[in-house]
Amino acid sequence: MSKEQREALAAMLSPGPQGFEPQPVEQMREDFARLMAQFAVPRVRTTGTDLGGRPAVLVEPEGEQRPGTILYFHGGSFSLGSPQTAMGLTAGLVTRTGYRALSLDYRLAPEHPFPAAIEDCLAAYRELLEDGVDARSITFAGDSAGGGLTVTTTLAARKAGLPVPGAIVAFSPGLDHTRTGATMTTKTGIDPFFTPESMAHTGEMYLAGQDPHQELLAPAVLADLTGFPPLLLQVGTNELLLDDSVRLAQRARDADVDVILDITAGVPHVFQSFIGLLDESGQALDRAALFLAQHLGNSCPF
């Protein structure tokens, strides 16, 4: 662990958000794309494709490809982002596992509020299954809002009578639109990216007036995880969303589901992106790769 790196990153991101002024969503999307373009992307092969009626990017290792498929859901508060903004994380998993990934460009709010994103992710998964891909060889992976989609898409798949995927990897997932986690208060002023007000703003775009007290909007509070595949939840202590992962892990435990709650101290939201700035970023991705190798039936590639 690199205490000095964590302190340097915290200083670089400080003082973080000092209030909130709503911006047009188009400006928010441009700003988010600009931010994410700063992160390193490992060398991979990328090909544009379609999956479940939506654009997607096929990401493949430059070397030997191993059996397994990562269905990746990007972050961005359900209203920002694309496969490109999450390419560093997607490629990081691909290069470490040797699996191919399909990163989905699901519909965004406010143009397409809940449950559009879940419907798109489910349609993509359904097409993989219809193409003959074994569910046990598929992992759902995602960051932030996309991390939340790994869980809610699994819930939707189970309700639709589909087999669940072989594993789930969620980086700093958003899992509770009721925003009742204690860290929504205790980490205010510590989280360098979010405030309760900013999260309420994007949350309202996604909810579009719907009641957040339902399983697909607050799985950390309401979901029955019976029959879920093994879960890896990675989160940092400097996050408003910390308790989303903590509470979902408790629900997984209560449902007798294999779960790893992987908490790193002193790091921000989706810290896995900070390759080159933070040793913990690469170490977290290494742990995710080992988790996938263990649960998708392959030996670890490193």
PDB file of all heavy atoms in Angstrom, residues 22-44:
ATOM      1  N   PRO A  22     -26.194  23.350 -10.928  1.00  0.00           N
ATOM      2  CA  PRO A  22     -26.567  22.490 -12.057  1.00  0.00           C
ATOM      3  C   PRO A  22     -26.025  23.028 -13.374  1.00  0.00           C
ATOM      4  O   PRO A  22     -26.021  24.240 -13.614  1.00  0.00           O
ATOM      5  CB  PRO A  22     -28.100  22.525 -12.028  1.00  0.00           C
ATOM      6  CG  PRO A  22     -28.446  22.917 -10.629  1.00  0.00           C
ATOM      7  CD  PRO A  22     -27.361  23.832 -10.176  1.00  0.00           C
ATOM      8  N   GLN A  23     -25.543  22.095 -14.210  1.00  0.00           N
ATOM      9  CA  GLN A  23     -25.059  22.412 -15.542  1.00  0.00           C
ATOM     10  C   GLN A  23     -25.924  21.682 -16.562  1.00  0.00           C
ATOM     11  O   GLN A  23     -26.526  20.644 -16.252  1.00  0.00           O
ATOM     12  CB  GLN A  23     -23.599  21.983 -15.699  1.00  0.00           C
ATOM     13  CG  GLN A  23     -22.629  22.639 -14.741  1.00  0.00           C
ATOM     14  CD  GLN A  23     -22.427  24.110 -15.056  1.00  0.00           C
ATOM     15  OE1 GLN A  23     -22.494  24.513 -16.220  1.00  0.00           O
ATOM     16  NE2 GLN A  23     -22.197  24.920 -14.025  1.00  0.00           N
ATOM     17  N   PRO A  24     -26.002  22.185 -17.791  1.00  0.00           N
ATOM     18  CA  PRO A  24     -26.698  21.422 -18.831  1.00  0.00           C
ATOM     19  C   PRO A  24     -26.070  20.042 -18.971  1.00  0.00           C
ATOM     20  O   PRO A  24     -24.846  19.888 -18.861  1.00  0.00           O
ATOM     21  CB  PRO A  24     -26.488  22.271 -20.092  1.00  0.00           C
ATOM     22  CG  PRO A  24     -26.208  23.640 -19.582  1.00  0.00           C
ATOM     23  CD  PRO A  24     -25.467  23.469 -18.300  1.00  0.00           C
ATOM     24  N   VAL A  25     -26.883  19.029 -19.212  1.00  0.00           N
ATOM     25  CA  VAL A  25     -26.358  17.670 -19.262  1.00  0.00           C
ATOM     26  C   VAL A  25     -25.325  17.520 -20.376  1.00  0.00           C
ATOM     27  O   VAL A  25     -24.364  16.750 -20.248  1.00  0.00           O
ATOM     28  CB  VAL A  25     -27.504  16.646 -19.398  1.00  0.00           C
ATOM     29  CG1 VAL A  25     -28.168  16.732 -20.774  1.00  0.00           C
ATOM     30  CG2 VAL A  25     -27.003  15.241 -19.112  1.00  0.00           C
ATOM     31  N   GLU A  26     -25.482  18.262 -21.462  1.00  0.00           N
ATOM     32  CA  GLU A  26     -24.495  18.193 -22.542  1.00  0.00           C
ATOM     33  C   GLU A  26     -23.123  18.655 -22.057  1.00  0.00           C
ATOM     34  O   GLU A  26     -22.097  18.052 -22.399  1.00  0.00           O
ATOM     35  CB  GLU A  26     -24.940  19.035 -23.738  1.00  0.00           C
ATOM     36  CG  GLU A  26     -26.203  18.556 -24.424  1.00  0.00           C
ATOM     37  CD  GLU A  26     -27.471  19.008 -23.724  1.00  0.00           C
ATOM     38  OE1 GLU A  26     -27.372  19.782 -22.723  1.00  0.00           O
ATOM     39  OE2 GLU A  26     -28.552  18.576 -24.147  1.00  0.00           O
ATOM     40  N   GLN A  27     -23.091  19.705 -21.245  1.00  0.00           N
ATOM     41  CA  GLN A  27     -21.826  20.178 -20.687  1.00  0.00           C
ATOM     42  C   GLN A  27     -21.262  19.169 -19.702  1.00  0.00           C
ATOM     43  O   GLN A  27     -20.045  18.916 -19.681  1.00  0.00           O
ATOM     44  CB  GLN A  27     -22.039  21.522 -19.985  1.00  0.00           C
ATOM     45  CG  GLN A  27     -20.762  22.147 -19.442  1.00  0.00           C
ATOM     46  CD  GLN A  27     -19.774  22.481 -20.550  1.00  0.00           C
ATOM     47  OE1 GLN A  27     -20.144  23.164 -21.510  1.00  0.00           O
ATOM     48  NE2 GLN A  27     -18.540  22.013 -20.429  1.00  0.00           N
ATOM     49  N   MET A  28     -22.114  18.575 -18.890  1.00  0.00           N
ATOM     50  CA  MET A  28     -21.662  17.555 -17.948  1.00  0.00           C
ATOM     51  C   MET A  28     -21.033  16.380 -18.683  1.00  0.00           C
ATOM     52  O   MET A  28     -20.005  15.831 -18.252  1.00  0.00           O
ATOM     53  CB  MET A  28     -22.836  17.079 -17.091  1.00  0.00           C
ATOM     54  CG  MET A  28     -23.407  18.142 -16.161  1.00  0.00           C
ATOM     55  SD  MET A  28     -24.986  17.630 -15.409  1.00  0.00           S
ATOM     56  CE  MET A  28     -24.486  16.183 -14.481  1.00  0.00           C
ATOM     57  N   ARG A  29     -21.627  15.992 -19.799  1.00  0.00           N
ATOM     58  CA  ARG A  29     -21.083  14.866 -20.569  1.00  0.00           C
ATOM     59  C   ARG A  29     -19.729  15.205 -21.176  1.00  0.00           C
ATOM     60  O   ARG A  29     -18.812  14.375 -21.169  1.00  0.00           O
ATOM     61  CB  ARG A  29     -22.083  14.454 -21.651  1.00  0.00           C
ATOM     62  CG  ARG A  29     -23.315  13.775 -21.094  1.00  0.00           C
ATOM     63  CD  ARG A  29     -24.426  13.602 -22.125  1.00  0.00           C
ATOM     64  NE  ARG A  29     -25.577  12.921 -21.519  1.00  0.00           N
ATOM     65  CZ  ARG A  29     -26.786  12.869 -22.058  1.00  0.00           C
ATOM     66  NH1 ARG A  29     -27.026  13.477 -23.218  1.00  0.00           N
ATOM     67  NH2 ARG A  29     -27.762  12.222 -21.442  1.00  0.00           N
ATOM     68  N   GLU A  30     -19.586  16.410 -21.680  1.00  0.00           N
ATOM     69  CA  GLU A  30     -18.300  16.829 -22.238  1.00  0.00           C
ATOM     70  C   GLU A  30     -17.229  16.871 -21.158  1.00  0.00           C
ATOM     71  O   GLU A  30     -16.092  16.419 -21.365  1.00  0.00           O
ATOM     72  CB  GLU A  30     -18.437  18.201 -22.905  1.00  0.00           C
ATOM     73  CG  GLU A  30     -19.265  18.191 -24.178  1.00  0.00           C
ATOM     74  CD  GLU A  30     -19.435  19.590 -24.746  1.00  0.00           C
ATOM     75  OE1 GLU A  30     -18.787  20.533 -24.230  1.00  0.00           O
ATOM     76  OE2 GLU A  30     -20.230  19.743 -25.706  1.00  0.00           O
ATOM     77  N   ASP A  31     -17.573  17.411 -20.001  1.00  0.00           N
ATOM     78  CA  ASP A  31     -16.612  17.507 -18.903  1.00  0.00           C
ATOM     79  C   ASP A  31     -16.195  16.119 -18.418  1.00  0.00           C
ATOM     80  O   ASP A  31     -15.015  15.875 -18.125  1.00  0.00           O
ATOM     81  CB  ASP A  31     -17.200  18.301 -17.736  1.00  0.00           C
ATOM     82  CG  ASP A  31     -17.400  19.774 -18.064  1.00  0.00           C
ATOM     83  OD1 ASP A  31     -16.836  20.252 -19.072  1.00  0.00           O
ATOM     84  OD2 ASP A  31     -18.131  20.447 -17.308  1.00  0.00           O
ATOM     85  N   PHE A  32     -17.152  15.216 -18.340  1.00  0.00           N
ATOM     86  CA  PHE A  32     -16.848  13.859 -17.874  1.00  0.00           C
ATOM     87  C   PHE A  32     -15.951  13.133 -18.873  1.00  0.00           C
ATOM     88  O   PHE A  32     -14.975  12.467 -18.481  1.00  0.00           O
ATOM     89  CB  PHE A  32     -18.147  13.082 -17.672  1.00  0.00           C
ATOM     90  CG  PHE A  32     -17.961  11.700 -17.106  1.00  0.00           C
ATOM     91  CD1 PHE A  32     -17.491  11.526 -15.820  1.00  0.00           C
ATOM     92  CD2 PHE A  32     -18.268  10.581 -17.860  1.00  0.00           C
ATOM     93  CE1 PHE A  32     -17.316  10.247 -15.292  1.00  0.00           C
ATOM     94  CE2 PHE A  32     -18.105   9.305 -17.349  1.00  0.00           C
ATOM     95  CZ  PHE A  32     -17.624   9.136 -16.058  1.00  0.00           C
ATOM     96  N   ALA A  33     -16.255  13.270 -20.160  1.00  0.00           N
ATOM     97  CA  ALA A  33     -15.414  12.639 -21.175  1.00  0.00           C
ATOM     98  C   ALA A  33     -14.000  13.192 -21.132  1.00  0.00           C
ATOM     99  O   ALA A  33     -13.016  12.450 -21.281  1.00  0.00           O
ATOM    100  CB  ALA A  33     -16.034  12.839 -22.559  1.00  0.00           C
ATOM    101  N   ARG A  34     -13.871  14.484 -20.908  1.00  0.00           N
ATOM    102  CA  ARG A  34     -12.546  15.113 -20.823  1.00  0.00           C
ATOM    103  C   ARG A  34     -11.776  14.586 -19.620  1.00  0.00           C
ATOM    104  O   ARG A  34     -10.577  14.299 -19.706  1.00  0.00           O
ATOM    105  CB  ARG A  34     -12.699  16.637 -20.748  1.00  0.00           C
ATOM    106  CG  ARG A  34     -11.408  17.402 -20.934  1.00  0.00           C
ATOM    107  CD  ARG A  34     -11.660  18.908 -20.925  1.00  0.00           C
ATOM    108  NE  ARG A  34     -12.620  19.292 -21.956  1.00  0.00           N
ATOM    109  CZ  ARG A  34     -13.849  19.744 -21.718  1.00  0.00           C
ATOM    110  NH1 ARG A  34     -14.280  19.879 -20.473  1.00  0.00           N
ATOM    111  NH2 ARG A  34     -14.647  20.059 -22.710  1.00  0.00           N
ATOM    112  N   LEU A  35     -12.459  14.445 -18.487  1.00  0.00           N
ATOM    113  CA  LEU A  35     -11.813  13.913 -17.287  1.00  0.00           C
ATOM    114  C   LEU A  35     -11.328  12.489 -17.508  1.00  0.00           C
ATOM    115  O   LEU A  35     -10.163  12.161 -17.214  1.00  0.00           O
ATOM    116  CB  LEU A  35     -12.806  13.949 -16.118  1.00  0.00           C
ATOM    117  CG  LEU A  35     -12.388  13.203 -14.848  1.00  0.00           C
ATOM    118  CD1 LEU A  35     -11.188  13.887 -14.197  1.00  0.00           C
ATOM    119  CD2 LEU A  35     -13.562  13.097 -13.874  1.00  0.00           C
ATOM    120  N   MET A  36     -12.182  11.640 -18.046  1.00  0.00           N
ATOM    121  CA  MET A  36     -11.834  10.231 -18.174  1.00  0.00           C
ATOM    122  C   MET A  36     -10.779   9.989 -19.252  1.00  0.00           C
ATOM    123  O   MET A  36     -10.069   8.980 -19.213  1.00  0.00           O
ATOM    124  CB  MET A  36     -13.090   9.401 -18.457  1.00  0.00           C
ATOM    125  CG  MET A  36     -14.147   9.481 -17.361  1.00  0.00           C
ATOM    126  SD  MET A  36     -13.504   9.094 -15.706  1.00  0.00           S
ATOM    127  CE  MET A  36     -13.095   7.362 -15.912  1.00  0.00           C
ATOM    128  N   ALA A  37     -10.662  10.904 -20.199  1.00  0.00           N
ATOM    129  CA  ALA A  37      -9.650  10.760 -21.252  1.00  0.00           C
ATOM    130  C   ALA A  37      -8.238  10.905 -20.710  1.00  0.00           C
ATOM    131  O   ALA A  37      -7.263  10.555 -21.397  1.00  0.00           O
ATOM    132  CB  ALA A  37      -9.890  11.787 -22.352  1.00  0.00           C
ATOM    133  N   GLN A  38      -8.094  11.406 -19.482  1.00  0.00           N
ATOM    134  CA  GLN A  38      -6.772  11.570 -18.892  1.00  0.00           C
ATOM    135  C   GLN A  38      -6.190  10.265 -18.362  1.00  0.00           C
ATOM    136  O   GLN A  38      -4.986  10.181 -18.106  1.00  0.00           O
ATOM    137  CB  GLN A  38      -6.847  12.579 -17.744  1.00  0.00           C
ATOM    138  CG  GLN A  38      -7.325  13.960 -18.148  1.00  0.00           C
ATOM    139  CD  GLN A  38      -7.430  14.893 -16.949  1.00  0.00           C
ATOM    140  OE1 GLN A  38      -6.498  15.024 -16.162  1.00  0.00           O
ATOM    141  NE2 GLN A  38      -8.586  15.526 -16.805  1.00  0.00           N
ATOM    142  N   PHE A  39      -7.024   9.238 -18.197  1.00  0.00           N
ATOM    143  CA  PHE A  39      -6.551   8.000 -17.589  1.00  0.00           C
ATOM    144  C   PHE A  39      -5.931   7.073 -18.632  1.00  0.00           C
ATOM    145  O   PHE A  39      -6.374   7.006 -19.785  1.00  0.00           O
ATOM    146  CB  PHE A  39      -7.694   7.286 -16.877  1.00  0.00           C
ATOM    147  CG  PHE A  39      -8.222   8.054 -15.695  1.00  0.00           C
ATOM    148  CD1 PHE A  39      -9.527   8.522 -15.670  1.00  0.00           C
ATOM    149  CD2 PHE A  39      -7.402   8.330 -14.608  1.00  0.00           C
ATOM    150  CE1 PHE A  39     -10.011   9.225 -14.588  1.00  0.00           C
ATOM    151  CE2 PHE A  39      -7.876   9.038 -13.518  1.00  0.00           C
ATOM    152  CZ  PHE A  39      -9.173   9.489 -13.503  1.00  0.00           C
ATOM    153  N   ALA A  40      -4.906   6.345 -18.198  1.00  0.00           N
ATOM    154  CA  ALA A  40      -4.180   5.448 -19.097  1.00  0.00           C
ATOM    155  C   ALA A  40      -5.073   4.292 -19.545  1.00  0.00           C
ATOM    156  O   ALA A  40      -5.907   3.795 -18.782  1.00  0.00           O
ATOM    157  CB  ALA A  40      -2.943   4.907 -18.392  1.00  0.00           C
ATOM    158  N   VAL A  41      -4.872   3.866 -20.799  1.00  0.00           N
ATOM    159  CA  VAL A  41      -5.589   2.718 -21.355  1.00  0.00           C
ATOM    160  C   VAL A  41      -4.562   1.695 -21.826  1.00  0.00           C
ATOM    161  O   VAL A  41      -3.753   1.989 -22.705  1.00  0.00           O
ATOM    162  CB  VAL A  41      -6.492   3.132 -22.532  1.00  0.00           C
ATOM    163  CG1 VAL A  41      -7.178   1.903 -23.134  1.00  0.00           C
ATOM    164  CG2 VAL A  41      -7.527   4.157 -22.091  1.00  0.00           C
ATOM    165  N   PRO A  42      -4.556   0.498 -21.262  1.00  0.00           N
ATOM    166  CA  PRO A  42      -3.637  -0.538 -21.739  1.00  0.00           C
ATOM    167  C   PRO A  42      -3.894  -0.879 -23.206  1.00  0.00           C
ATOM    168  O   PRO A  42      -4.981  -0.628 -23.741  1.00  0.00           O
ATOM    169  CB  PRO A  42      -3.957  -1.731 -20.830  1.00  0.00           C
ATOM    170  CG  PRO A  42      -4.616  -1.143 -19.630  1.00  0.00           C
ATOM    171  CD  PRO A  42      -5.366   0.058 -20.118  1.00  0.00           C
ATOM    172  N   ARG A  43      -2.893  -1.463 -23.842  1.00  0.00           N
ATOM    173  CA  ARG A  43      -2.995  -1.812 -25.262  1.00  0.00           C
ATOM    174  C   ARG A  43      -3.919  -3.013 -25.442  1.00  0.00           C
ATOM    175  O   ARG A  43      -3.676  -4.093 -24.883  1.00  0.00           O
ATOM    176  CB  ARG A  43      -1.617  -2.115 -25.840  1.00  0.00           C
ATOM    177  CG  ARG A  43      -0.723  -0.878 -25.939  1.00  0.00           C
ATOM    178  CD  ARG A  43       0.652  -1.264 -26.482  1.00  0.00           C
ATOM    179  NE  ARG A  43       0.555  -1.822 -27.826  1.00  0.00           N
ATOM    180  CZ  ARG A  43       0.550  -1.104 -28.938  1.00  0.00           C
ATOM    181  NH1 ARG A  43       0.626   0.225 -28.872  1.00  0.00           N
ATOM    182  NH2 ARG A  43       0.487  -1.677 -30.126  1.00  0.00           N
ATOM    183  N   VAL A  44      -4.973  -2.802 -26.222  1.00  0.00           N
ATOM    184  CA  VAL A  44      -5.950  -3.837 -26.548  1.00  0.00           C
ATOM    185  C   VAL A  44      -6.418  -3.605 -27.979  1.00  0.00           C
ATOM    186  O   VAL A  44      -6.142  -2.566 -28.585  1.00  0.00           O
ATOM    187  CB  VAL A  44      -7.171  -3.799 -25.592  1.00  0.00           C
ATOM    188  CG1 VAL A  44      -6.801  -4.292 -24.201  1.00  0.00           C
ATOM    189  CG2 VAL A  44      -7.785  -2.396 -25.540  1.00  0.00           C
TER     190      VAL A  44
END
